[in-house]
Structure formats: C-alpha cells, structure tokens
C-alpha cells in the first residue's frame, strides 16, 4: 500500500540541490498500485529489510511514501525519500510505527552522498535506479548493526573560517582551465582528431588544462567522476567530457565537497577508510611536491582518523570531511583581516592625469624623490667627464696636430682624458673596507648611495667602454690615415713627435710601444667585459664542448683579475705618448696613484687579516636543496652587524678565489655561520669537499649529512682549511634605523634576514633583562652598577642604536626541504619572541594556492597537526606555512594599515625579478598613504 505522507510541491525545505528539469513520471516497484510522483514532493515508503527489494525503473521526479501491512510493522522501516528532478536522497528512516521521530543523521548523510547534479536528463534516468539500490544496501547495513545515538552536528557556515573555507576545494583555478568549456572543447577536438572523437584517460589532464605535475591528481579525479557515472572504459566522448567538466567547474561548495569525497572513496561505499585517507594524502603531497608529507602519510592518516572517527568505526563520512574543512582551528590565511578588506580597498593604480604637463611634472617629481641620491652622484660624474673631455678637446684644437689630424685628434684625446679618470674611479666602489668604514663611521650614507656601489662600478665600466671605443676609432679610422696621407709641408710640424721620416703604413704605429700596449689592453678589456656579463657569469649561455668551462663565476673571477695587467700597460701607455713629451703633462699616473694605492692597501689588509689564523670549523651540515651550512669560530676582534657579509676562501677548492656570503649568525652569538647554496662551479666543489668528511646525522641532529667538532681531545673530522675576510657593509645592516621593518627573502636570499631576525630577538631580550635588573635595583634603593650587562652594553646604549619595534619576515621558497635550513632558528624565534615583535611568514610556492582542491587536504592536515602538536606539516617548524606566492600588494597594505604615519624599511634579498615589483609597491604606498616605505636591495 502506498500512501502520500506529505506534499511539498512548492517548498524547498533546506535542500542542498537545485532542480534543473521539469518532467513528470511514474514509478513502479514491488508495492501495490502505481505511484505518480509529484514534482518537488517528499514521500515515504516502507521496505522489508530482510528481503531484497527490486526497483525496476524511475522515469521522473517526485517524492513518495509507501507502507505495507500494519500487521508486519516491526519487520519494516519507513524511509522518506527526497526524489527531485536531478537527485534521489534519503531524508529520514523510522520504524514503521513512527517511534523514531528524529532524522537519522547517518542516513541523512547517505542522502547527500547520493545526490547528483546534472544538466543531462539521460544521465539522470540511467543513474537513478542504481542509486536506490545503494539505498537498499545501506539500509541493510544499518539494520545489521546496533543503532547508535549520534547527536546531529550543526555546521555554522557563517563563521569567518568557514566562510573562507567555502571558497575552497576548487578543481579549476585561475591558472588551470580558466578559459572554460570553450577552451576544453578546443583541446578535445585537437587531441581526438585521430581517435574518432574519444579522449583517452591519459589525455584527460592536458584536455582540462591542468599542468603535468598534477597528472596523478587529475587521473584520480577522472576515475572518481567515471565511477559516479558507471563508466567502465578509459575513454570519453565529448558529451561525457562535458558532464565531467560541469561537475569539475561547479561553483557549489557541496558539489565540490562531494567530488573530493568521491576521489577519496575509491570503492564508492560512501565511507572513507584510513587506507583511502593515506592514499589521498600521498596523492596531494605528490601533486604539491611535499616529499616529507609523502613519507609520513601513514602517520598523518592516523591523525585524521583519530580526529574524525570518534567512535572507532574504522571509517569517516562526508559530514566528517565537511566538519574538518569548515570548523578546523584555522586562522584567516595569508594574514588577511576584515579591516584589510574594508580599508584601503583602492588598487593604488595611478590616476591618469589628462593634462600632459602635470603628468610629466608628477612623473619627474616622483622619480626625483625616489632616486635623488643616485641622480646627484650620476650628474656629478657626467659633469666631470664632460668637463675633462671639453678641456682636452679645446687644448688640442689649439695645437699644431689639429692642422694635420683635425677634430679626430681632439676627440681621441678628449676620450683618453675621460678614460684616465674612469680607470681611476672604477677601483673605489670595490674598496669594500673603505666603504664599510664610511657607512659605519660617517653620516655620508644620508647623501651617498653606498648600497649601489656595484651598480656604479658597472656604470663606470660602460663609460670606459665608450671612451675606449671613441679613442681607438678616432685614432685608427681618422688620425693615422690622415697622418699617412699628409704632404711633406703638412707633416713637418709632426716631426718632433713621429720622427723625421713620415710613417708609410699602419705597421709603423702597431709595432711601437704605444700600439702594442694599446692593442693588448683593448683585447684584455674585451675579455674581462665579456665574461663579466650576466650571460657568462650566471651560466645563462650554454656553450658546446670543449668551451663549457668558459662560463660561470670562476671564469669571471679569473678574467676580471686581468685588470692588474691592464693597469700596468695603461701606465706604460700613458708614458709613451705620441704628442706629449714633457713628464708633467703625462697625467695618467697622477690619476691612478691614489686609487691604486688605496686598492692595494685594501687587498693587503684583507690578505693579512684573513691569513693570520684560519677559523676553526665547529659544525658542517648539508641540507636539502644543495645548501651547505658552515659554523665556525669567531676570530678575536671580529665585530659585525646583522645583515653584513664576509668573504670565504677554501684552499682545497682554490687558493685564490674569495666569494661573498651573508652572515647568518647574530652578533651576540659566539660563532659565525654562513649558508651556501650550490649555484656555481666553486660552490659545487666546496660542497663536495665538505661532504667527504660528513656522515648521515644521528639522533635528532639536522641535515642530510653532518659533521661536528668534538673538542680538542675528540675524534674530529679532517675539515678543509677555511679563511674568512670581513665583515663588509650591506643594505640590510641599516634595519635598526627603522621602527618597523619588512624583511623579504627568496630562497637562499633569506640568509641576511635570518641574522636580523635573531638579532632583533636578542636585542629585545637584552633590553628586557636590563630593565628588569634596573627595576630590581631601584626597588632596593640601590644604584644600578655600570657595565653589568651582556656583550651589547647597557640598555640605554642598545636603545640608542636600536629603534625596531616590529618586524615582518616573509620567506618564500619553492621546495619543502628548504625549511630545514633554518628550522632551528624559526623555532627559537617563535619560542623566545614573547613580546610578539616578529611576525614570521613562510611561503612554499610548490604548493597550490589555498582553496585549490589539490592542496585542500594539506591545509586540513596542517590545521589539525598544528592545533594538536604545534608543528607545521610543511615547514616542520612552529611557524605555519602559507601556500603559493604572497600577494605583495596585500602585504604592503596590511603594514600600511597597522603602522600609519610610520617609516618602514623594506629589505629584500633574492632573485632580481621581484625587485621591480617590491620597489614599485613601496613607491606607490609611500605616495598614497601616510606610511612611507624605504626599499633596499641586497647586491652581490
């Protein structure tokens, strides 16, 4: 007997699915009498649990109820089905007598697992029967176990964390398949041109627009969608692919959650076991290149089951997955906040000024404000060059040589005068000891851009190249030909300079000292300039064998030291001049005397300082990502500031080469440390020689390979001999001048920032200890003893040179293993920073952005593990990691909101690609907000 329990033709009743069709149909089953299903109605039916119920067909939508004989009530249960135009769901299960009035949450959950959204009527008809069969099977399972009382869990989707999570689980991101179905269809047509319109499973990743790294994930997605549609083959036609695509691109959170659940639930039984959780963790970790999580997949799967399977059933349901996603103890990711979205919502795009005069004025004004230090130095340099060129040009315009060689000789001599000045000046930017002294001991840093010393060195090199070209071309293409063609009368004034016999060929000029020295200098300068270019120095150009050794830093270093020969030849060339015989007019040596002497003293100081006593290696560790960490003893009197760098020499690699590396230890520590990434030939050889004395670490020691110094009487490894030279000034050392600092490190570029972070904590701790000590003495009525403090002096001295009250550190790296480099530092800072001065942000760019389905489980796991154990699953530290790349505009925006009317020091070390963006954002926010950002870039 079938009876209608309730008609809801016009009421939605909190359903999670949407109606997409409007057909009416009849339903025939093992019940007495036909059943016509009314659209959008809820119906109930009684099923005999012990027996098998055979469902023949469903050809429409509706909601029905049926009951059998009342005499047999105890052998039956009554279920209420939600049967809509595109879905079949179980609403509730009751005994036939209606004793259990409440809706069984487990069966309600079953309803959701059976929901299916589709725009194709044919697929609805095909799947409805199998869905009701699944209902029958599930009811048998429920009847076979003791009914357990489970409180209904209400999911509050209005919470901030839940609202953020509802935007997640996206299978199609802005970088994957964002063009929509049209692009997918076009790729389908291309891929299936030779397969009769059938797309093989192996081509699914490419067709939907996912990258190759996500192939395994995409294939699991294919299998889940195929299982749901009972597709047994490994190929799809366009119609089936479109169904897949509509499911993948569905913006409904419930639909995305169901798809993700289906990916994990490989046996399609509506339950996820621990083994299935382990598999999806491994799959997600592989897609995001998180090797450490792959290795610990079993441990993390157990953690998820422990959290969600509270009744130890051995499985979890879709509602548990939803609870994990929506109510995990997650923070608002990326450091965003409500106030961030409410205030400063403008995109800070410069308003287009219609008046061209005002537009040019504003552009010029902002350019001058941002670069005034560089502008005045560059202008002064150009002015000196122009004055020297003009002076020499006019001088030779009034000499007899002008009558024979014309303006060519004036140009050649004017260019030669600028060459002498530039060859002297180019040595000063590389006098690092002098620059460091001027930076630390004088106030010249206010007007002189010492941070741009290497850039200025390169600019002067361009000036030398131009001057050399003018000088050589004017002589070879103009002066000498005119001298060779001059008549006897015209040549007569030249006899004191070139001899009584007039030269007859170029060979006369070449074989002389002037010609030989000039040609050799030009050749050596061409070699040095070529190998100093980024293409050769940074191995951007690949040469065929046997010329592969002509690229790299080593080649640059050796060819650059050809300058010793060049300067020697330049002095000789300046003495043996054609047109000048008086010694006091031969001014080349006058230009070079002071700079060469200063540079020679620099090199002598460095040689003596570094070779007095080699440092003692205390610890060596080789980390993932080809990073070598060296901890060494601090030489007596070696004082440095955080952010500075030093040169390192290892005779086992090369006795002559010195390479600069940022110091990663803090000034208050009793050791020196550097972290060296193998990016070139020298660093690769250095890692090799130290790896030979290392062994796999034991216990809880870090690194892939490790070796430690065990004291004077211990069995110490035979460490290679290492010399150091420094310290030298760098932009990051000026961080103490700012109350607020933004520290940005890309990859190994985090090294100077690590030292700063540790130094900030040490300084804050020292100030706090001193204040506590003074307070204790004052409470006793005693005067605080002087010099009764740590190495850094009294708190007043610390405060005088230390203004930093707040620091934001953003470390961006592409590999999970990179976090091992500074794991100890991160944990130490997180523990010691009791005043919350430093805000640490780790970003792993190999992980897909938060909200992407490929990283969803990683985010869930991260929240669980951090809440329970206080450890981040990505970085392995106490600092929670973010995914993908930071939104730098939001980073600046947040700092501008938190620190109005402040001056923020931005310090960046890393790849040049990000420099332009960070500098431009600093400029934009400085102009349009009350917060001023000073950008500094680390240069090597």
């Amino acid at each position: 007997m079938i009876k209608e329990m309730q008609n809801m033709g016009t009421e939605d009743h909190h359903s999670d699915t949407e109606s997409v069709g409007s057909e009416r149909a009849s339903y025939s089953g093992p019940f007495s009498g036909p059943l016509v299903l009314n659209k959008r109605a809820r119906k109930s039916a009684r099923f005999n649990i012990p027996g098998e119920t055979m469902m023949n067909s469903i050809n429409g939508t509706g909601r029905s109820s049926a009951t059998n004989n009342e005499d047999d009530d105890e052998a039956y249960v009554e279920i209420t089905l939600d049967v809509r135009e595109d879905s079949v769901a179980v609403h509730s299960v009751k005994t036939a007598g209606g004793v259990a009035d409440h809706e069984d949450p487990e069966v309600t959950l079953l309803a959701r697992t059976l929901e299916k959204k589709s725009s194709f009527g044919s697929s609805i008809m095909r799947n409805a029967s199998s869905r009701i069969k699944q209902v029958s099977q599930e009811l048998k399972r429920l009847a076979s176990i003791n009914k357990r009382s489970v409180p209904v869990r209400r999911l509050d989707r209005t919470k901030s964390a839940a609202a953020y999570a509802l935007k997640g689980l996206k299978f199609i991101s802005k970088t994957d398949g964002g063009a929509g179905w049209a692009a997918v269809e076009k790729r389908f047509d291309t891929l299936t041109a030779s397969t009769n319109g059938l797309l093989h499973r192996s081509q699914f990743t490419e067709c939907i627009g996912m990258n190759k790294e996500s192939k395994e994930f995409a294939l699991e997605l294919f299998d889940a969608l195929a299982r749901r549609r009972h597709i047994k083959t490994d190929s799809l036609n366009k119609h089936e692919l479109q169904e897949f695509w509509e499911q993948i691109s569905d913006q409904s959170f419930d639909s995305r959650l169901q798809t993700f659940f289906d990916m994990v639930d490989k046996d399609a039984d509506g339950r996820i076991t621990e083994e299935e959780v382990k598999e999806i963790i491994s799959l997600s970790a592989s897609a995001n290149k998180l090797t450490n999580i792959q290795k610990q997949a079993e441990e993390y799967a157990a953690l998820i089951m422990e959290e969600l399977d509270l009744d130890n059933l051995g499985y979890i349901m879709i509602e548990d997955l939803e609870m994990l996603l929506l109510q995990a103890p997650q923070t608002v990711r990326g450091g965003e906040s409500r106030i961030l979205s409410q205030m400063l919502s403008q995109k800070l795009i410069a308003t287009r000024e219609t008046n061209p005069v005002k537009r040019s004025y504003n552009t010029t004004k902002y350019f001058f404000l941002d670069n005034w230090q560089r502008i005045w130095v560059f202008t002064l340099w150009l002015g000196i060059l122009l004055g020297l060129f003009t002076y020499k040009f006019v001088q030779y315009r009034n000499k007899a040589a002008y009558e024979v060689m014309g303006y060519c000789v004036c140009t050649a001599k004017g260019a030669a005068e600028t060459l002498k000045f530039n060859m002297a000046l180019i040595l000063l930017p590389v006098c690092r000891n002098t620059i460091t002294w001027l930076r630390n001991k004088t106030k010249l840093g206010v007007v002189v851009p010492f941070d741009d010393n290497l850039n200025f060195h390169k600019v002067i090199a361009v000036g030398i190249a131009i001057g050399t070209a003018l000088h050589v071309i004017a002589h070879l293409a103009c002066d000498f030909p005119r001298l060779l063609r001059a008549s006897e009368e015209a040549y007569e004034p030249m006899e004191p300079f070139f001899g009584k016999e007039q030269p007859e060929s170029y060979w006369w000029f070449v074989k002389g000292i002037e010609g030989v020295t000039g040609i050799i200098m030009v050749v050596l300068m061409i070699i040095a300039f070529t190998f100093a270019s980024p293409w050769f120095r940074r191995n951007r150009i690949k040469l065929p064998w046997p010329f592969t050794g002509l690229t790299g830093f080593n080649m640059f270093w050796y060819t650059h030291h050809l300058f010793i020969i060049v300067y020697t030849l330049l002095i000789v060339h300046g003495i043996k001049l054609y047109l000048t015989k008086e010694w006091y007019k031969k001014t080349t040596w006058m230009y070079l005397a002071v700079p060469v002497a200063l540079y020679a003293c620099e090199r002598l100081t460095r040689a003596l300082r570094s070779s007095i006593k080699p440092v003692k290696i205390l610890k060596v560790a080789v980390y993932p990502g080809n990073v070598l960490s060296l901890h060494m003893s601090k030489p007596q009197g070696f004082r440095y500031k955080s952010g500075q760098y030093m040169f390192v020499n290892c005779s086992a690699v090369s006795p002559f080469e010195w390479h600069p590396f940022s110091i990663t230890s803090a000034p208050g520590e009793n050791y020196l440390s550097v972290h060296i990434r193998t990016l070139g030939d020298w660093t690769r050889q250095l890692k090799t020689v130290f790896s030979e004395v290392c062994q796999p670490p034991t216990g809880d020691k870090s690194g892939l390979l490790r070796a430690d110094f065990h004291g004077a009487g211990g069995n110490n490894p035979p460490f290679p001999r290492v010399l150091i030279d420094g310290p030298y000034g760098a932009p990051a050392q000026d961080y103490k001048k700012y109350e607020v600092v933004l520290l940005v490190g890309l990859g190994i570029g985090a090294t100077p920032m690590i030292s700063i972070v540790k130094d900030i904590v040490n300084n804050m701790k020292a100030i706090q200890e001193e204040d506590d000590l003074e307070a204790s003495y004052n409470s006793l009525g005693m005067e605080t003893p002087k010099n009764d403090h740590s190495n850094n002096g009294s708190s007043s001295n610390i405060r005088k040179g230390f203004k930093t009250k707040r620091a934001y550190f953003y470390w961006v790296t592409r590999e999970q293993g990179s976090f091992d480099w500074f794991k100890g530092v991160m944990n130490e800072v997180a523990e010691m920073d009791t005043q919350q001065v430093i805000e640490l942000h780790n970003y792993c760019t190999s992980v897909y952005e938060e909200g992407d389905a490929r990283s969803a489980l990683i985010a869930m796991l991260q929240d669980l593990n951090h809440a329970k154990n206080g450890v981040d699953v990505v970085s392995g530290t106490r600092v929670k990691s973010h995914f993908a790349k930071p939104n730098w505009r939001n980073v600046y925006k947040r700092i501008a909101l938190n620190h109005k009317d402040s001056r923020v020091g931005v310090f960046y070390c890393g790849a040049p690609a990000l420099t332009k963006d960070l500098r431009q954002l600093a400029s934009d926010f400085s102009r349009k907000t009350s917060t001023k950002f000073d950008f500094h870039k680390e240069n090597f």
Side-chain angles (χ1 to χ4, degrees), residues 776-794:
S776 63
Y777 274 104
N778 291 337
S779 64
L780 298 174
M782 301 172 61
E783 183 180 354
T784 306
K786 296 182 179 180
N787 300 325
D788 185 18
H789 192 61
S790 63
N791 298 337
N792 294 326
S794 66

Side-chain angles (χ1 to χ4, degrees), residues 81-139:
L81 298 179
D82 283 348
V83 185
R84 296 194 178 190
E85 299 173 4
D86 63 344
S87 65
V88 179
V90 176
H91 176 73
S92 65
V93 176
K94 299 191 270 188
T95 63
V99 176
D101 250 359
H102 67 278
E103 295 181 356
D104 190 319
E106 186 167 57
V107 183
T108 303
L109 175 61
L110 171 65
R112 298 184 60 188
T113 65
L114 298 177
E115 289 174 0
K116 172 178 181 296
K117 181 176 178 180
S118 173
S119 61
F120 300 94
S122 61
S123 64
I124 296 173
M125 309 306 174
R126 182 174 67 246
N127 295 331
S129 178
S130 64
R131 291 178 176 279
I132 296 181
K133 287 180 181 179
Q134 292 178 23
V135 174
S136 177
Q137 294 170 0
E138 185 65 17
L139 291 175

Side-chain angles (χ1 to χ4, degrees), residues 665-683:
S665 54
E669 294 172 321
N670 57 2
Y671 65 90
L672 288 173
S673 67
V674 291
H675 286 69
I676 302 170
R677 188 166 190 178
T678 55
L679 297 174
D681 37 19
W682 186 87
T683 52

Side-chain angles (χ1 to χ4, degrees), residues 244-257:
F244 278 28
W245 179 256
E246 290 187 355
Q247 181 72 39
I248 295 171
S249 57
D250 194 333
Q251 295 301 308
S252 165
F253 172 76
D254 294 301
S255 176
R256 297 196 301 265
L257 177 65

